[in-house]
């Protein structure tokens, strides 16, 4: 267990305590509960990894640049084509390199480090480019199966505006529907909406106000803010809420659900929108580090050939991968003031005690900003995820009996990944919590609340961060297109 490593605690301060035993969740903290959780083996079959292969040449794809559209905007015949593509994908013989199952297992290959694949593409800066490359080849396979590789593009699930799962993926709710998956949360599967706080326009706009890629999209060893929220959060909302969370809530299985691809298109669109704000200077630019650009991964293409593609190859999706997205009209915040914060150690238990320690000067400027209606976020970087913890948690500042929501954390299931999981970035909206968090007397502490304590029993745990910052700014006025 890594929670109580005292020698580390002065350098990497404790962040917070007691998920699942805080107010309102009277779950016993016995560790025997945890050991009784039976995780499935991930992945179910670790496929032989494609290695090497013909390197992608930028400019070699000369198909037209075609819009990836929202599912809700697809015509009847486009929807029928999408369904047909998945019908044919699912019907491929088991030795084929394009099968639905093998493709899903290729996703899990890159999170489980089996069969010689050493790269974990989650919780790192490889997250955005790897998934973009994966979608590209998957899209080509689907397009070729319906004889329309030039025009077929994956649609996205615009969960920001379409709050329930698109109907085509839900009904008919049986295996006659190639977009259906029987392993989803029953509420979502029954046409229910996402939790009101998840994947919102406000959240996305705030994320688009981040100017540095490290915070937005991660570093070599730390996951970026988008990966947890909204990416993991929506995964967890769609999958069942009990371990082992398959399909969507478990990385070993997630790509078996066709909604995975439309969810990831929406994530990819978010990255694209973030980059679209770039001008001179470094803001909104991808990393230029060769370690980022030269990461190279192998896939199977529509001809079952092994191909390889690098992160650098996928950065310009219009030029190189031949798809585009509709521009986004946004009012995003600009964060221009960054305050490094000290945060206090806390001990395990229901009340971890006060959290942030800031100077009087910082307190005053942050509270003045918030009082004027400006955005304020708390960035906790390098938050270490304890082994074997999975599930969805709301994060709130607690002071007295006041609970101010700040965000959420979803840790996707995947037993093998627990051996190697990397720290994440939490990017938390503290507009409502700031006055409690920064109060000079008895300031708020930060707690995690298990969203589904009856279905997912977790013992208390502590999160530690490597750094904390408060960022404040103002709303940028001009909409961008
Ligand atoms: Cu590779 Cu949405 O996960």
């Amino acid at each position: 267990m890594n929670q109580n490593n005292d020698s580390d605690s002065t350098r990497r301060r404790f962040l917070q305590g007691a998920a699942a035993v805080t107010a309102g969740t009277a779950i016993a903290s016995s560790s025997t509960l945890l050991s009784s959780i039976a995780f499935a083996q991930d992945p179910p079959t670790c496929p032989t990894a494609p290695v090497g292969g013909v390197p992608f040449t930028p400019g070699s794809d000369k198909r037209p640049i075609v819009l990836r559209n929202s599912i809700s905007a697809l015509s009847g015949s486009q929807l029928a084509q999408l369904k047909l593509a998945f019908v044919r994908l699912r019907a491929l013989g088991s030795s084929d390199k394009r099968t639905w199952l093998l493709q899903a297992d290729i996703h899990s290959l890159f999170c489980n480090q089996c069969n010689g694949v050493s790269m974990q593409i989650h919780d790192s800066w490889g997250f955005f480019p790897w998934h973009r490359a994966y979608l590209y080849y998957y899209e080509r396979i689907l397009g070729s199966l319906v004889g329309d590789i030039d025009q077929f593009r994956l649609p996205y699930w615009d969960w920001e505006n379409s709050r329930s799962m698109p109907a085509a993926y839900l009904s008919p709710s049986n295996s006659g529907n190639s977009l259906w998956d029987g392993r989803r949360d029953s509420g979502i599967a029954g046409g229910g909406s996402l939790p009101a706080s998840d994947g919102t326009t406000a959240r996305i706009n705030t994320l688009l106000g981040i100017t540095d890629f490290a915070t937005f999209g991660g570093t070599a060893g730390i996951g970026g803010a988008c990966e947890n929220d909204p990416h993991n959060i929506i995964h967890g909302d769609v999958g069942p809420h009990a371990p082992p969370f398959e399909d969507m809530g478990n990385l070993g299985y997630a790509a078996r659900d066709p909604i995975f691809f439309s969810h990831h298109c929406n994530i990819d669109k978010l990255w694209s929108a973030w980059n679209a704000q770039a001008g001179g200077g470094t803001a909104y630019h991808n990393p230029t580090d060769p370690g980022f650009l030269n990461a190279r991964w192998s896939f199977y293409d529509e001809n079952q050939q092994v191909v390889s593609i690098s992160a650098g190859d996928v950065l310009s999706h219009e030029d190189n991968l031949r798809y585009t997205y509709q521009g986004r009209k946004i009012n995003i915040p600009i964060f221009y003031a960054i305050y490094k914060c000290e945060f206090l150690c806390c001990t395990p238990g229901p009340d971890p005690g006060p959290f942030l320690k800031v100077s009087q000067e910082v307190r005053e400027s942050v509270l003045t900003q918030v009082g004027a209606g400006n955005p304020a976020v708390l960035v906790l970087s390098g938050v270490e995820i304890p082994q074997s913890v999975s599930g969805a948690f709301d994060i709130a500042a607690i002071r007295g009996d006041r609970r101010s929501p700040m965000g959420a954390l979803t840790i996707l299931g995947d037993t093998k990944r627990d051996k190697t999981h990397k720290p994440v970035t939490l990017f938390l909206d503290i507009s409502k919590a700031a006055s409690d968090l920064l109060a000079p007397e008895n300031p708020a502490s930060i707690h995690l609340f298990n969203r589904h304590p009856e279905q997912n029993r977790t013992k208390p745990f502590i999160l530690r961060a490597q750094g904390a910052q408060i960022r404040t700014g103002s709303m940028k006025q001009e909409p961008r297109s």
Side-chain angles (χ1 to χ4, degrees), residues 107 121-122 127 130-131 231 235 251 260 263-264:
H107 175 253
I121 43 76
H122 301 95
F127 171 75
W130 185 88
H131 287 85
H231 166 261
H235 263 278
L251 290 173
F260 175 98
H263 173 45
H264 268 278

Side-chain angles (χ1 to χ4, degrees), residues 1 3 27-37 388 457-460:
M1 301 306 268
Q3 287 99 320
I27 290 301
S29 61
S30 157
S31 56
T32 58
L33 288 177
L34 198 71
S35 59
S36 69
I37 293 170
S388 307
R457 295 177 161 191
T458 45
K459 65 176 185 174

Side-chain angles (χ1 to χ4, degrees), residues 39 65 68 75 124 193 209 218 256 334 336 359 366 386 388 447 459:
F39 283 96
I65 298 172
R68 279 189 182 166
S75 67
S124 83
S193 295
R256 294 181 171 205
I334 295 242
Y336 53 75
S359 67
V366 172
S388 307
H447 289 249
K459 65 176 185 174

